[in-house]
Amino acid sequence: MKAYITVCLFFSIVLSSGKAACPETEDVVWALDIRRNYCENFRNKCYFDEAKGQGFNITTKEKCQIYCPVTCRLLLSPTNATYRGMTQEFSNDCFRRSHNCVTGATYINTKLKKI
Ligand SMILES: *[C@@H]1O[C@H](CO)[C@@H](O)[C@H](O)[C@H]1NC(C)=O
Ligand SMILES: *[C@@H]1O[C@H](CO)[C@@H](O)[C@H](O)[C@H]1NC(C)=O
C-alpha cells in the first residue's frame, strides 16, 4: 500500500510538471516550409513537435539544405547553445539556425532548455 501511494505521488509530480523535456538523441529532422523557402533542422522529432513548426514538411537533408537561411540581420541578442557537449555563442538565434542548417549540427539554446 505504501509503495502504491509512493508510485501515485511520483506520477502526479511527473504529470504536474508538464511535458517532459525532449531526449537528446540525435535523430535529426529536416523540415522545409516551401512557401517561405525556409529550412530548419531539429535534433529529433520531439524538438520538432515542440517547435510546432506550422507549414513545415519533413523532408530529406539534401532537399532541405537548398533553403537554409544564410543571411541574418546583425541584431545582437547573443545566445549560448550546446551540441555534442560543445557550447557556442551565436550573435542571435538566426545565426544559430543558419549554422545548424548549413552544417547539419543541432545546437540548442541552453536558456530554452527545460531541465
Ligand atoms: C506538406 O504537408 C501538408 C500537410 O501537413 C500537405 O498537405 C502537403 O501536401 C505537404 N506538401 C508537400 C510538398 O509535401
Ligand atoms: C556564453 O558562455 C560564455 C562562456 O561561459 C560566457 O562568457 C558568455 O557570457 C555566455 N553568453 C551568453 C549570452 O550567455
Side-chain angles (χ1 to χ4, degrees):
M1 189 62 188
K2 201 171 183 182
Y4 173 75
I5 291 167
T6 309
V7 167
C8 282
L9 195 63
F10 174 73
F11 278 109
S12 58
I13 289 167
V14 169
L15 290 175
S16 64
S17 68
K19 224 164 59 172
C22 283
E24 296 306 321
T25 322
E26 216 179 324
D27 189 5
V28 182
V29 168
W30 292 86
L32 181 62
D33 184 341
I34 202 70
R35 293 165 308 175
R36 291 190 293 149
N37 289 342
Y38 175 76
C39 167
E40 187 171 346
N41 61 352
F42 298 87
R43 189 166 291 171
N44 54 50
K45 186 70 165 49
C46 177
Y47 279 105
F48 171 74
D49 290 341
E50 216 172 51
K52 291 193 180 61
Q54 283 167 352
F56 276 124
N57 288 74
I58 293 175
T59 183
T60 62
K61 178 181 180 180
E62 290 71 26
K63 282 183 185 157
C64 204
Q65 277 185 319
I66 298 166
Y67 303 101
C68 283
V70 285
T71 52
C72 290
R73 294 203 288 164
L74 284 166
L75 296 170
L76 283 186
S77 177
T79 56
N80 277 332
T82 61
Y83 173 60
R84 293 185 178 174
M86 298 173 290
T87 298
Q88 191 167 322
E89 192 179 73
F90 295 93
S91 302
N92 62 45
D93 202 55
C94 175
F95 285 101
R96 178 189 65 83
R97 285 180 272 119
S98 173
H99 178 82
N100 281 350
C101 189
V102 171
T103 65
T106 54
Y107 278 92
I108 292 173
N109 287 337
T110 42
K111 239 189 302 184
L112 301 178
K113 205 165 140 187
K114 296 181 187 98
I115 308 295

